[in-house]
Amino acid sequence: MNLDPQIAGYLEALDSGFPAVHTMTGAQARAVIKSRFVPSRQPEEVGAVTDETVPVADGSVPVRIYRPASSTGAVPVLVYAHGGGFVFCDLDTHDGLCRAFANLLGAVVISVDYRLAPEHRWPSAAEDVYAVTQWTARNADRFGGDVERIVVGGDSAGGNLAAVTALMARDRGGPSLAAQLLVYPMIAADFDTGSYQLFGQGFYNPRPALQWYWDQYVPSPADRDHPYASPLAADLHGMPPAIVVIAGHDPLRDEGVAYADALTAAGVHTVQCRYEGGIHGFITMPTLDLAQRARTEACGELSALLAAP
């Protein structure tokens, strides 16, 4: 496996600049990440962007709704959970990715500003994303969405939340989901896989940070065995079809592959989009050719799946 040449060119700078979040509180890590965020001066044009607030069990969460630049009739809806280790990132950090997904899919994208750990521990974030998915099913016609083509998706920690939301929807009798889009998802708190050993240091998002994320969100080892924390522990029969994006130089590579394989073994139609030269987080780096290719190909696979009879 060869690292993507563009990534190789500035991996050392990326890696050395990654903050030592495992030495911080959640609030401190959040502040550091926010201070480094630079919004795009020319965000991708979409049809419309609106912000709303969705009620959840014991409060409310903001959402940002993106309409595609062009659409005809009712379109698919992607409920999207951002990455950030369950601790940081927000609607703004993933604005560019959600805009791209809206246009590439020709879909409404609903980005969820779920509550963050450690102030809100497991299963708060998952319950928030599930509540927004329920709300989406009830309100799809308000923003031109097709209730028959609701998808849940997310990257990294958000991939965990999307997978868990799909499990909750199956277990709780709805809403019906057409698919799930899981981008290098955090699936299990196993830090001794082959990919952790290979890429747990020097490849951005190091092992100490990834362990710390789990400590913030699911501090109890007993809770980590619950399927709504670690979906790899679940019975996966009856789950919606899945597109799983895998980065080859990622500590989470092996758990993503294991989850995709487990879905397939359970009879779930699953497509693995593998990018051997990628690192964790690469799809949110829009200057990378590999990121643009992955976005286009993953959305193409998802569009084909949604169009299938």
Side-chain angles (χ1 to χ4, degrees):
M1 293 188 302
N2 293 317
L3 193 61
D4 176 78
Q6 283 182 299
I7 294 174
Y10 59 80
L11 179 59
E12 184 177 352
L14 263 180
D15 190 63
S16 63
F18 193 89
V21 294
H22 63 285
T23 67
M24 304 177 187
T25 66
Q28 289 169 339
R30 218 168 285 138
V32 169
I33 296 299
K34 191 174 185 65
S35 71
R36 296 182 175 200
F37 173 65
V38 179
S40 172
R41 293 182 179 180
Q42 293 183 308
E44 181 174 343
E45 292 285 345
V46 294
V49 180
T50 56
D51 289 344
E52 292 202 28
T53 302
V54 173
V56 297
D58 52 355
S60 61
V61 296
V63 299
R64 184 165 294 165
I65 303 171
Y66 301 82
R67 293 291 306 270
S70 60
S71 61
T72 302
V75 299
V77 185
L78 170 62
V79 178
Y80 197 79
H82 64 77
F86 308 107
V87 178
F88 45 77
C89 292
D90 53 29
L91 299 179
D92 293 334
T93 61
H94 283 61
D95 180 76
L97 183 62
C98 290
R99 288 171 179 269
F101 281 161
N103 287 336
L104 287 167
L105 290 168
V108 170
V109 175
I110 301 179
S111 183
V112 186
D113 200 11
Y114 56 85
R115 292 169 295 176
L116 299 171
E119 295 84 354
H120 301 279
R121 298 194 189 275
W122 177 83
S124 294
E127 293 288 359
D128 287 352
V129 179
Y130 176 66
V132 172
T133 304
Q134 291 180 299
W135 176 88
T136 298
R138 294 192 300 268
N139 292 276
D141 59 342
R142 277 183 46 209
F143 36 79
D146 182 355
V147 73
E148 300 297 324
R149 292 185 291 167
I150 296 175
V151 179
V152 290
D155 59 287
S156 192
N160 173 292
L161 301 177
V164 170
T165 294
L167 284 167
M168 289 176 168
R170 181 201 63 185
D171 297 346
R172 298 174 180 180
S176 178
L177 299 176
Q180 49 187 325
L181 172 63
L182 312 178
V183 181
Y184 35 74
M186 292 178 67
I187 289 296
D190 180 356
F191 312 110
D192 295 314
T193 63
S195 56
Y196 260 100
Q197 293 172 23
L198 287 169
F199 310 117
Q201 197 67 40
F203 289 88
Y204 198 54
N205 253 302
R207 175 176 171 164
L210 291 158
Q211 290 177 302
W212 181 81
Y213 300 152
W214 280 102
D215 291 341
Q216 305 312 298
Y217 182 52
V218 196
S220 168
D223 287 338
R224 293 179 185 181
D225 293 332
H226 195 289
Y228 291 172
S230 300
L232 195 56
D235 175 357
L236 299 176
H237 291 86
M239 292 287 280
I243 308 297
V244 184
V245 175
I246 306 292
H249 290 68
D250 180 0
L252 305 188
R253 180 196 65 190
D254 289 359
E255 63 200 71
V257 171
Y259 194 62
D261 289 346
L263 286 166
T264 299
V268 178
H269 177 76
T270 304
V271 176
Q272 294 188 37
C273 297
R274 301 184 67 154
Y275 300 92
E276 302 301 344
I279 59 172
H280 193 76
F282 82 94
I283 208 165
T284 56
M285 303 175 186
T287 60
L288 295 176
D289 294 340
L290 188 67
Q292 297 299 330
R293 179 160 70 88
R295 293 178 181 190
T296 299
E297 291 176 352
C299 287
E301 293 286 359
L302 180 55
S303 294
L305 191 158
L306 294 173

